[in-house]
Amino acid sequence: MAIESAADLVQILAEEFQRSGKDPQDFAVQTGIGEDRLELLQSGEWQDLTVREIAAISEALDVDLFQL
């Protein structure tokens, strides 16, 4: 799947997070991102996430952005 926008990337991360079955509280601790910020990933309000947060999420989910 070719990523054409930041929204596409965040959608992939949201789907991967859902598939991972990770506990949101544990994931928040792992990434250093508050649970309220992680809710933005799932609610589709990705535009409020920072690039640093998106990178931390992708790293914690072991998503290789270069493979996408």
Side-chain angles (χ1 to χ4, degrees), residues 26-37:
D26 292 340
F27 194 70
V29 171
Q30 180 184 2
T31 60
I33 299 170
E35 282 185 75
D36 60 325
R37 302 292 295 163

Side-chain angles (χ1 to χ4, degrees), residues 28-67:
V29 171
Q30 180 184 2
T31 60
I33 299 170
E35 282 185 75
D36 60 325
R37 302 292 295 163
L38 289 174
E39 287 178 14
L40 297 174
L41 178 70
Q42 295 177 304
S43 68
E45 297 179 41
W46 63 269
Q47 65 274 13
D48 292 329
L49 291 170
T50 66
V51 171
R52 183 176 293 219
E53 289 168 331
I54 292 169
I57 291 166
S58 65
E59 184 176 328
L61 291 172
D62 200 29
V63 173
D64 185 354
L65 299 179
F66 294 107
Q67 294 293 324

Side-chain angles (χ1 to χ4, degrees), residues 8-27:
D8 291 344
L9 170 61
V10 176
Q11 180 63 37
I12 290 168
L13 293 177
E15 290 168 2
E16 186 61 32
F17 178 68
Q18 202 167 33
R19 269 194 297 274
S20 74
K22 293 181 183 264
D23 178 70
Q25 290 178 333
D26 292 340
F27 194 70

